[in-house]
Amino acid sequence: MKELLGEFEEFLLKNLPKIDSFHPHFEAAMQDMLIAGGKRFRPMLLLSIVKAKKPLLLENSLKVALAIEFLHTYSLIHDDLPAMDNASLRRGFPTLHIKYDEVTAILVGDALNSESFNLIATASLHNDIKIELIKLLGHNGGLNGMVIGQAIDCHFEKQKLELEKLEFLHLNKTAKLIAASLKMGAIIASCGEKIEEELYSFGLDLGLLFQIQDDIIDELESSEEAGKTTQNDSFKNSFVNLLGLEEAKKSADDLAQKCLERLEVFDDELKDSLKDLLVSYINRHKKYNS
Amino acid sequence: MKELLGEFEEFLLKNLPKIDSFHPHFEAAMQDMLIAGGKRFRPMLLLSIVKAKKPLLLENSLKVALAIEFLHTYSLIHDDLPAMDNASLRRGFPTLHIKYDEVTAILVGDALNSESFNLIATASLHNDIKIELIKLLGHNGGLNGMVIGQAIDCHFEKQKLELEKLEFLHLNKTAKLIAASLKMGAIIASCGEKIEEELYSFGLDLGLLFQIQDDIIDELESSEEAGKTTQNDSFKNSFVNLLGLEEAKKSADDLAQKCLERLEVFDDELKDSLKDLLVSYINRHKKYNS
């Protein structure tokens, strides 16, 4: 798995977006957040499946994995804008609107968004495959996916959402792109419709699990830091605030168990590859159970 | 031509982006600027060519024309943001960050950007064609096209650019998407590489002409309104400020002449269709010559 990540990182550094212009910093700004790192989780989901089922297509799939990373990175850049999270740091580096200016941050996001589709269109794969991949990225990363999730997250920031709506938010904001990354791998590897759908549905569970885990870890770490048991000073829509810590932990345990069981249904190649990547993620909230 | 525009408007109203969610205004916000109108110039370029050369594909091309309008509209919404032009009106309606909020304006732009590629991917055309169209839109509407043009426009807002750089700005910000709209029509209509390139290159001239015309008309109308001959109070990168009014008019005349001559080179069907759409645009600065 480390080897695959290394291969992706190398490909990313060789394929950073380049601009032929006299703008003093736009090219660097386009590259900053891509170089800054992150777990590369979504590209690794796609690549793990291709590696397991069609290793000969791995090299040609790197561009599609990069496309997903571009789209994810644009969303982080826009989420960090003053009008949204107003964040000054991302991945340990100053955010683009801090380092350069807000115009740059908006436009770099816009450029990475469009370029993600261009990357897929220019990959060395069959056109029929590429059209399916573009549809999936457009659908899950777009208005009925990641974008409406983020819009709901921002709009209801100070209003308590009921459980079903909170789940809808995170299914759209996070889980759909994770699910799409898995399904895109399955489409490249011609796994067939049944496996594609199983992976997509598994990805939705996985994405939701990650959000519940994040909420639990946020709560526990900030409690520790603040030396008190709850953070009541600012309301935040989170599974912990809605369900309570113990119930949220139980939900995470249940969903983690479900994800581990779902992994067992896949054939050996898929199972081994995905377990290698995912088991530590799936169990990451459990260290807080002691 | 009016009939074709009517057909496009009807298609647009039937295919406005829809969102299945409990967000109170996001769907309406996605639709507002699309409904608000505009000349639909870029879609009409594409449709005029398809109508001239492959009328049977006209209906299936409407989705691609709509994709270009989505991309263009996202760029207007983001250009109007407080960090850029900080505009409160667009097409006679309040801009999205005024009517709703800045988060909505950013996210609606993001959604329309991604959705434009999804629209092409889901059009009823051959996959080989659609991949070429996506590449063209991604390239000309993206980082080495419209976006770098806008980035340069904003960054050098208060610094005088030399002619070559001003042309580079507008070729990227405006002309490339116009050129791509023509070329996309030619690709759908299988006009062949030679015509595709001639149309693209013609589109670049046309886009540049429009910008020089805009600068001339801006200058003359604001002079009239202000009752003085020049607007020296705020520096603006424009062809009029750089070349002077007379020289800018001469450039526009020369470029208009070149565009009209280039039109004559196309075969009768293309020539008639494009002349019908374009001659009044190409000559629009001339009414100020008297």
Side-chain angles (χ1 to χ4, degrees):
Chain A
M1 202 48 65
K2 263 189 184 162
E3 202 184 310
L4 194 58
L5 180 59
E7 209 172 322
F8 178 72
E9 292 287 356
E10 195 185 327
F11 183 81
L12 178 142
L13 289 177
K14 276 189 192 153
N15 289 278
L16 290 168
K18 295 201 175 49
I19 294 181
D20 187 18
S21 91
F22 55 91
H23 193 296
H25 66 244
F26 202 77
E27 183 174 275
M30 295 261 317
Q31 302 181 347
D32 278 351
M33 281 301 139
L34 291 164
I35 299 172
K39 298 184 296 289
R40 317 299 191 192
F41 182 63
R42 292 154 191 80
M44 289 301 286
L45 287 172
L46 181 147
L47 294 172
S48 298
I49 290 175
V50 177
K51 188 172 185 178
K53 302 301 292 178
K54 277 273 169 62
L56 284 175
L57 285 178
L58 193 62
E59 205 179 316
N60 295 2
S61 304
L62 285 164
K63 223 169 170 179
V64 183
L66 189 61
I68 299 177
E69 189 68 5
F70 273 33
L71 193 98
H72 173 61
T73 302
Y74 114 68
S75 77
L76 299 180
I77 293 168
H78 280 190
D79 286 6
D80 286 340
L81 284 169
M84 299 206 223
D85 292 351
N86 196 22
S88 52
L89 281 176
R90 166 71 69 180
R91 296 175 173 171
F93 293 88
T95 48
L96 295 188
H97 65 273
I98 297 287
K99 183 169 177 184
Y100 306 102
D101 50 47
E102 210 178 324
V103 169
T104 301
I106 295 167
L107 293 174
V108 164
D110 292 346
L112 291 176
N113 185 354
S114 295
E115 184 64 9
S116 65
F117 297 94
N118 196 34
L119 279 175
I120 298 178
T122 55
S124 295
L125 293 167
H126 195 287
N127 285 345
D128 296 351
I129 299 278
K130 292 194 286 189
I131 286 293
E132 290 311 307
L133 299 175
I134 287 166
K135 283 184 201 169
L136 265 172
L137 191 65
H139 183 75
N140 291 282
L143 56 101
N144 269 303
M146 191 179 75
V147 177
I148 188 62
Q150 174 67 4
I152 290 171
D153 199 13
C154 292
H155 186 77
F156 292 93
E157 201 190 345
K158 313 259 174 206
Q159 295 169 59
K160 191 169 175 173
L161 289 172
E162 54 201 81
L163 184 60
E164 202 183 324
K165 289 183 174 173
L166 189 62
E167 282 186 359
F168 181 91
L169 184 172
H170 291 297
L171 277 174
N172 281 281
K173 181 173 172 171
T174 308
K176 280 189 179 176
L177 191 59
I178 287 174
S181 304
L182 287 162
K183 187 169 173 180
M184 288 164 80
I187 286 174
I188 295 173
S190 308
C191 293
E193 211 174 313
K194 183 163 170 285
I195 306 287
E196 285 169 23
E197 291 316 314
E198 280 171 10
L199 281 167
Y200 186 82
S201 155
F202 168 71
L204 294 181
D205 282 346
L206 199 62
L208 208 53
L209 170 64
F210 288 171
Q211 188 59 50
I212 303 177
Q213 291 176 326
D214 279 350
D215 288 352
I216 292 170
I217 294 167
D218 268 6
E219 171 72 15
L220 292 174
E221 291 190 341
S222 56
S223 297
E224 270 174 32
E225 279 165 26
K228 51 183 178 171
T229 50
T230 49
Q231 298 275 304
N232 285 322
D233 43 328
S234 70
F235 173 75
K236 187 176 171 287
N237 265 310
S238 87
F239 287 99
V240 171
N241 283 340
L242 194 64
L243 302 173
L245 182 59
E246 288 314 308
E247 198 60 31
K249 275 185 179 175
K250 192 175 167 312
S251 283
D253 283 345
D254 291 350
L255 205 46
Q257 184 59 29
K258 187 179 169 199
C259 285
L260 291 170
E261 282 166 15
R262 293 189 77 152
L263 275 176
E264 297 300 326
V265 175
F266 296 113
D267 67 32
D268 285 350
E269 290 148 337
L270 270 182
K271 185 167 41 180
D272 291 347
S273 188
L274 287 174
K275 276 177 133 174
D276 193 15
L277 178 65
L278 291 177
V279 169
S280 62
Y281 283 107
I282 291 174
N283 289 324
R284 73 190 166 110
H285 68 287
K286 293 184 183 165
K287 67 171 176 169
Y288 295 92
N289 277 354
S290 57
Chain B
M1 201 50 62
K2 262 189 187 163
E3 202 185 310
L4 194 57
L5 180 59
E7 209 172 322
F8 178 72
E9 294 286 357
E10 194 184 327
F11 182 82
L12 178 140
L13 288 178
K14 277 191 192 150
N15 290 277
L16 290 169
K18 293 199 176 50
I19 293 181
D20 186 19
S21 90
F22 57 89
H23 193 296
H25 66 242
F26 201 76
E27 183 174 275
M30 294 260 320
Q31 302 181 347
D32 278 352
M33 282 299 139
L34 291 164
I35 299 171
K39 298 184 297 289
R40 317 297 191 192
F41 182 63
R42 292 155 192 79
M44 289 301 287
L45 287 172
L46 180 147
L47 295 172
S48 298
I49 290 175
V50 177
K51 189 174 185 176
K53 301 302 292 179
K54 280 272 168 61
L56 285 175
L57 285 179
L58 193 61
E59 204 179 317
N60 295 1
S61 303
L62 286 163
K63 222 168 174 182
V64 182
L66 188 62
I68 299 177
E69 189 68 4
F70 273 33
L71 193 98
H72 174 60
T73 302
Y74 115 66
S75 78
L76 300 180
I77 293 168
H78 280 189
D79 286 6
D80 286 340
L81 283 169
M84 299 206 222
D85 291 352
N86 196 21
S88 52
L89 282 175
R90 166 71 68 179
R91 297 174 171 171
F93 294 87
T95 48
L96 295 189
H97 64 273
I98 298 288
K99 183 169 177 186
Y100 307 102
D101 50 46
E102 209 179 325
V103 169
T104 301
I106 295 167
L107 292 175
V108 164
D110 292 346
L112 291 176
N113 184 354
S114 295
E115 185 62 9
S116 65
F117 296 95
N118 196 34
L119 279 174
I120 299 178
T122 55
S124 294
L125 293 167
H126 195 288
N127 286 344
D128 295 353
I129 299 277
K130 293 194 285 188
I131 285 293
E132 289 313 305
L133 299 175
I134 288 166
K135 282 184 202 169
L136 265 171
L137 191 65
H139 184 75
N140 291 281
L143 56 102
N144 269 304
M146 192 179 74
V147 177
I148 188 64
Q150 174 68 4
I152 289 171
D153 199 12
C154 291
H155 187 79
F156 292 95
E157 201 189 346
K158 313 260 173 204
Q159 296 169 58
K160 190 170 178 174
L161 288 173
E162 54 201 81
L163 183 60
E164 201 184 325
K165 290 182 174 174
L166 190 62
E167 283 186 357
F168 181 90
L169 186 172
H170 291 296
L171 277 173
N172 281 280
K173 182 174 172 170
T174 308
K176 279 190 180 176
L177 191 59
I178 287 174
S181 304
L182 288 162
K183 187 169 172 180
M184 287 165 80
I187 286 174
I188 294 173
S190 308
C191 293
E193 210 173 316
K194 184 163 169 287
I195 307 287
E196 285 169 22
E197 290 316 313
E198 279 172 9
L199 282 167
Y200 186 83
S201 155
F202 168 70
L204 293 181
D205 281 347
L206 199 62
L208 208 53
L209 170 62
F210 287 172
Q211 187 59 49
I212 302 177
Q213 290 175 327
D214 278 349
D215 288 352
I216 291 170
I217 294 167
D218 267 7
E219 172 71 15
L220 291 174
E221 292 190 340
S222 57
S223 297
E224 270 173 32
E225 278 165 27
K228 52 183 180 175
T229 50
T230 49
Q231 297 276 302
N232 285 324
D233 44 330
S234 70
F235 173 75
K236 187 177 170 291
N237 264 312
S238 87
F239 287 101
V240 171
N241 282 341
L242 194 65
L243 301 172
L245 182 60
E246 288 314 309
E247 197 61 31
K249 277 183 177 175
K250 191 175 170 308
S251 283
D253 284 343
D254 290 350
L255 205 45
Q257 186 58 32
K258 187 178 167 199
C259 285
L260 292 168
E261 282 166 15
R262 293 189 78 153
L263 275 176
E264 297 300 326
V265 177
F266 296 111
D267 67 34
D268 286 350
E269 291 148 337
L270 270 183
K271 184 167 44 181
D272 291 347
S273 188
L274 288 174
K275 274 177 135 173
D276 193 15
L277 177 66
L278 291 177
V279 169
S280 63
Y281 282 107
I282 290 174
N283 289 324
R284 74 191 165 110
H285 67 287
K286 292 182 185 166
K287 67 172 176 169
Y288 296 91
N289 278 355
S290 57

